[in-house]
Structure formats: C-alpha cells, structure tokens
C-alpha cells in the first residue's frame, strides 16, 4: 500500500505557479471571510429588528441561535465528509449554503423564513476548517503555513469587519442590504472555488456514520441551546437542567457508539492523543478568552457617558472601534506563519495568548479615552491573529492526512464551545451587576472589568496548557 500523503506534500497536487496559488488562496479566503462576517453582522442591529419585523425580541433572538446550533452540528460532520468524499466538494457545499441562506434572508421579512435562512447560513461555518484542510494539501509547500494562517485569521477578521459594516448599513439602509452583500460575495467565492481550486488528492471513502451524526447533533443542540438562552430563561428554568442532562446522556452514548462503528464520525483514538487533547483544551480556553472582543468593545463604547465608562457612540463608531483589531489580525497572520516556522506552533500560540491577556489587562486599567479602548482592543486582535494561525498548524502536525478535515472541524467546534460557555458566564456577569440610566439597566464598569479579568485568566491558562505540547517540526 502506498504511503499516505501529508499536508503540503507535492505529490498531492500537480505543481502550480505562485500566481495560481494566490488566486486559489484569494477565493478560499473570500469564502472564509464572508462566512465569519455572516456570523456577526446581525449583532449590532438585533435590537431594532422586533419593531421592523413586527415580532417579539424572543423570536428575533432565534436569528442568532439557529445559526449557532446548525453551525455546531455541521462543522464536525462536514469535516468528516470532507475527508471521506473531498474537501473541495464539501467546501462548495458550505459556501453554497452561505449564498443560498443569504439570498433567502435578503428576499424576505417573514421572521420564520428569516430564521430558516439563518439556519442554512449556519451550515457554512464548516467553510473555515474545510478551507484550511484543503489548502494544506493543495498549496505549494512554501505557501502552506501562510495560507493556513490567513484562512484561520479570517474567523476573527470577518467578525471584526461585520460590526462596522452593520453599523454603516443600520444608519444608511435596510438590514436586508447586509444579506445582499454576503449573498453576492458568497457567490463570487463559490464560482472561484469551482473554477480554479482543485480537489485534494487524499480521500478516505467509507460509510457515513448516521448514528454518530444523530447522537452528536442531539448532544450539541441540548448543550448549546441552554447556554445560548440562559440569559432569557434563567439558570433556574427547568428546561436548562433537562437539556443539560440529555446532553450528558447522549455524549456518553455517542462515545460508546464511536468505538463500535467501522467508520466512526470521530476517531476517538486519534482524539485522545496528548497533543490533540491539549490543543483542543487550549482552543476551548482561547475561545472563552476572545468572547468579550465584540461585546466588550462595540457595546462598551456605545454605552452612555453616564454609565461611567461609555462614550455614547453611534452604532457605526462602535463598529469602527473594532476595525483596527480586525486589520491587526490580518496583518499579523503572515508574522505568525514565520513564528510557527521558526519557534513552533506551541510557542506561537502561547505568545498569542499572552498578547491577548495583555490586551485585557489594558482594558481593565486604561479606560479614560476612546483611543485607549481601541488600542486595548487592537492588542487583543494582534494576539488573536497570532493564536488563530497557530491552532490549525498544531492540529495538522499531529493528525493523519485521512482525518485532517474532521480534526480541524472538531477543533473549530471546541473553540465555539469555549465562546458559548463564555457567552453564558459573561452574560450572567453583565446582567447581575448593572447601573440604571433613564429607567434602563446597563452593565457597570465593574461587570466589564470582571469579564475582562476572566478572559485574561483564560488566555494565561491557554499559554500554560499549550506549552505542554512538544514542538513537531513542519514536514
């Protein structure tokens, strides 16, 4: 039997010119950017939608919740399907879902159809780990590191760019314009991938694990639903306890099933490898540490000056405060690729986490001027760009080629779980410590500082965990 191909192995694909490689990176990167953009673009305008759509705030919240739940389920499943049947094929499915979901939401004001459209968009979250895995096997060896770093950074860049874009649209146009933007950009990316990006050379084949997929879907939905709805339901709501118990039971059943199925959805033996365990644990912590990047900047500067910390900024200014952070993530991704090459992915991720911790300390201590808030958020962005670049390199270095898309998908899921946990904890902190302004409760400065301190602590723990991973030189 021939030896399996490894990431970056020139035998995987025919040699391509630097120009062709750049075009392929551009169209895959555009897809990753728009997917990340679609996940955050509604957040700034969410408060205005109940009146615009003539519906309740509870119904509107499902525009975010439906995306979150479908994304959590689709990312690991589509990653596994990518390994089995082709990473490019599943990347096209993911970007196609983004385009279709965006088109549906752009054409309707019916809340039910909007939720359906947002759920379809959720399936596109798999585009980022699939894009990372595809480029790892199709890019020229000298471009693999920088390509992975760039696509991984898009997860943060798209989120940061989504806020000023939504603020601009909110002040100048109807919210449907946001979805027209993602629909058009998604279509451009889809056609580009279809035209210029080749399929990866390694496909494992096998049967689809329907039992494992169903059990994993139930586990994730029953875990993430109470976490995402904890602020609205309250932790003492019986639904929270019931769903969490169901999640605990089904995760045990899922693990049991994966040891007895010939082609399991998740290779538990590979998942138990020490470097993978530590990387995924670090990813949960890093996802937790980055939760406050958006809520702790845009909402913070938009708060009234009477709150003791806010600047009474508009939605547009609140979003623009995040723009330098997004640009920093983009600019530092090639720097991170060089650091990974010279110092190894563990040390690079530890450095990124340390920079994130420094940024949160700045946000706790320095609060007098808007520019100080922006500088602190930008420092967090620099650390995010470095850390995001290192995580997939760690996964790829310790994963067989036949499982690389599934492993990246699961790692993306772990990062999302960290953010979801932080959302539940952070939401409770901000809701429990408030000040009353004109009859409305807004989070206090102490609440934000407590949240930032938790994020800084999670960043430090990330650095400590990841330094336990041995450095494996690039192939």
């Amino acid at each position: 039997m021939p030896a399996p191909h490894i990431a970056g192995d020139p035998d995987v694909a025919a040699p391509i010119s630097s120009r062709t490689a750049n075009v392929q990176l551009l169209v895959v990167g555009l897809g990753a950017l728009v997917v990340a953009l679609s996940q955050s673009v509604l957040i700034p305008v969410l408060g205005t939608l109940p009146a615009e759509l003539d519906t309740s705030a509870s119904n509107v919240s499902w525009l975010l919740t439906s995306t979150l739940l479908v994304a959590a389920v689709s990312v690991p499943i589509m990653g596994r399907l990518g390994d089995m049947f082709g990473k490019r094929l599943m990347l096209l499915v993911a970007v196609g879902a983004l385009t279709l979901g965006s088109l549906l939401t752009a054409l309707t004001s019916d809340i039910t159809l909007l939720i359906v459209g947002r759920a379809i968009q959720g399936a596109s979250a798999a585009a980022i780990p699939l894009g990372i895995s595809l480029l790892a096997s199709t890019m020229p060896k000298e471009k693999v590191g920088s390509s992975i770093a760039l696509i991984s950074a898009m997860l943060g860049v798209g989120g940061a760019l989504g806020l000023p874009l939504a603020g601009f649209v909110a002040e100048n146009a109807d919210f449907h314009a946001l979805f027209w933007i993602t629909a058009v950009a998604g279509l451009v990316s889809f056609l580009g991938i279809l035209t210029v990006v080749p399929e990866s050379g390694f496909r494992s084949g096998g049967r689809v694990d329907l039992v494992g997929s169903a059990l994993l879907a139930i586990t994730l939905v029953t875990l993430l639903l109470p976490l995402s709805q904890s602020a609205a339901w309250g932790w003492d709501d019986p639904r929270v306890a019931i769903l969490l118990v169901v999640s605990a039971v089904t995760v045990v059943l899922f693990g049991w099933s994966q040891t007895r199925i010939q082609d399991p959805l998740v290779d538990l033996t590979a998942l138990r490898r020490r470097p993978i365990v530590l990387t995924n644990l670090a990813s949960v912590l890093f996802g937790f540490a980055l939760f406050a990047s958006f809520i702790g900047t845009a909402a913070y500067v938009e708060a009234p000056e009477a709150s003791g910390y806010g600047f009474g900024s508009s939605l547009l200014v609140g979003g623009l405060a995040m723009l330098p952070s997004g640009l920093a993530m983009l600019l530092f991704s090639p720097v991170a690729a060089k650091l990974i090459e010279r110092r190894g992915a563990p040390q690079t991720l530890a450095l990124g986490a340390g920079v994130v911790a420094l940024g949160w300390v700045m946000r706790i201590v320095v609060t007098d001027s808007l520019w100080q808030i922006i500088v602190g958020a930008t420092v967090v962005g620099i650390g995010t760009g470095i850390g995001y670049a290192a995580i997939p390199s760690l996964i790829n270095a310790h994963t067989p080629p036949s499982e690389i898309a599934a492993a990246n998908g699961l790692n993306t899921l772990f990062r999302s779980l960290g953010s979801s946990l932080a959302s539940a904890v952070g939401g409770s902190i901000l809701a429990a410590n408030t000040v009353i302004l004109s009859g409305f409760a807004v989070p206090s400065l102490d609440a934000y500082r407590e949240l930032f301190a938790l994020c800084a602590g999670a960043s430090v723990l990330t650095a400590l965990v990841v330094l336990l991973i041995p450095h494996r030189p690039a192939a």
Side-chain angles (χ1 to χ4, degrees), residues 280-290 414 418 455 457-459 461-463 465:
N280 286 331
L281 175 58
S283 297
V284 172
L285 293 167
F286 205 51
F288 190 105
L290 299 176
F414 281 117
C455 291
S459 300
L461 286 175
T462 301
V465 167

Side-chain angles (χ1 to χ4, degrees), residues 110-128:
D110 180 85
I111 186 62
T112 301
L113 291 177
L114 284 169
I115 292 171
V116 171
R118 288 289 292 170
I120 295 172
Q121 283 183 316
S124 69
I128 293 177

Side-chain angles (χ1 to χ4, degrees), residues 365-452:
V365 175
V366 186
T367 62
D368 294 337
S369 303
L370 179 59
W371 70 267
Q372 294 171 334
I373 306 303
I374 295 173
V375 169
T378 303
V379 171
V380 172
I382 292 171
T384 302
I386 295 172
Y388 272 170
I391 289 173
S393 294
L394 274 169
I395 293 294
N396 293 349
H398 298 279
T399 301
S402 61
E403 301 172 6
I404 198 168
N408 277 293
L410 282 170
N411 180 259
T412 300
L413 173 61
F414 281 117
R415 274 189 267 180
S416 298
L417 289 176
S419 295
S420 297
L421 179 60
S423 176
V425 173
S428 298
I429 291 172
L430 297 180
N433 194 345
T434 61
V435 293
I436 305 300
L437 301 175
S438 303
F440 294 94
V442 298
S444 68
L445 178 58
D446 286 342
Y448 273 113
R449 283 174 168 165
E450 185 177 347
L451 176 59
F452 297 159

Side-chain angles (χ1 to χ4, degrees), residues 455-474:
C455 291
S459 300
V460 173
L461 286 175
T462 301
L464 294 176
V465 167
V466 81
L467 287 176
L468 298 174
I469 303 173
H471 168 45
R472 174 176 291 186

Side-chain angles (χ1 to χ4, degrees), residues 68-77 212-228 243-244 246-248 250-251 254 265 409-410 413-414 416-417 420:
L68 169 68
L69 297 180
V70 174
V73 173
S74 65
V75 164
I77 293 175
S213 299
L215 288 172
L216 181 62
I218 295 170
T219 298
L220 293 174
V221 169
T222 52
L223 173 63
L224 292 174
L225 183 57
L227 290 180
S228 64
L243 288 169
L244 291 178
V246 172
S247 181
T250 52
V251 75
F254 172 73
L265 178 66
L410 282 170
L413 173 61
F414 281 117
S416 298
L417 289 176
S420 297

Side-chain angles (χ1 to χ4, degrees), residues 39 42 69 149 196 228 244 260 265 335 341 358 377 391 422 449:
Q39 294 177 2
L42 264 187
L69 297 180
V196 303
S228 64
L244 291 178
R260 285 159 176 78
L265 178 66
V335 175
E341 183 180 336
L358 174 62
I391 289 173
R449 283 174 168 165

Side-chain angles (χ1 to χ4, degrees), residues 70-255:
V70 174
V73 173
S74 65
V75 164
I77 293 175
M78 291 178 68
R80 177 63 178 137
L81 294 176
D83 285 328
M84 295 171 67
F85 305 119
K87 301 173 184 67
R88 173 180 175 270
L89 173 63
M90 296 313 299
L91 178 59
L92 286 169
V93 172
V95 178
L98 168 71
T99 306
L100 178 62
S102 297
L103 186 60
L104 176 58
T105 47
L107 291 171
T108 185
S109 293
D110 180 85
I111 186 62
T112 301
L113 291 177
L114 284 169
I115 292 171
V116 171
R118 288 289 292 170
I120 295 172
Q121 283 183 316
S124 69
I128 293 177
L130 284 166
I132 289 170
S133 304
L134 177 61
L135 293 178
S137 61
T138 58
M139 283 285 108
K141 186 174 181 179
E142 67 275 10
K143 286 183 173 289
V144 169
S146 58
S147 299
I148 291 174
L150 180 65
I151 300 302
S152 189
M154 288 302 173
L155 191 62
V157 174
L161 296 182
L163 299 184
L165 175 62
F168 177 80
V169 168
E171 294 185 6
N172 296 279
D174 180 76
F175 78 93
H176 290 89
L178 297 169
F179 297 123
W180 281 115
I181 292 170
T182 56
V184 171
L187 180 60
V188 170
S189 175
F190 181 90
L191 294 175
I193 294 168
L194 183 66
T195 304
V196 303
V197 180
E199 182 59 270
S200 59
F202 194 104
R203 278 168 280 183
S204 63
R207 293 183 178 182
V208 178
D209 178 9
L210 297 177
V211 173
S213 299
L215 288 172
L216 181 62
I218 295 170
T219 298
L220 293 174
V221 169
T222 52
L223 173 63
L224 292 174
L225 183 57
L227 290 180
S228 64
Q229 296 294 316
S230 59
W233 293 354
W235 285 104
D236 57 349
D237 191 303
R239 289 175 292 182
V240 173
I242 292 171
L243 288 169
L244 291 178
V245 168
V246 172
S247 181
V249 171
T250 52
V251 75
V252 172
L253 292 174
F254 172 73

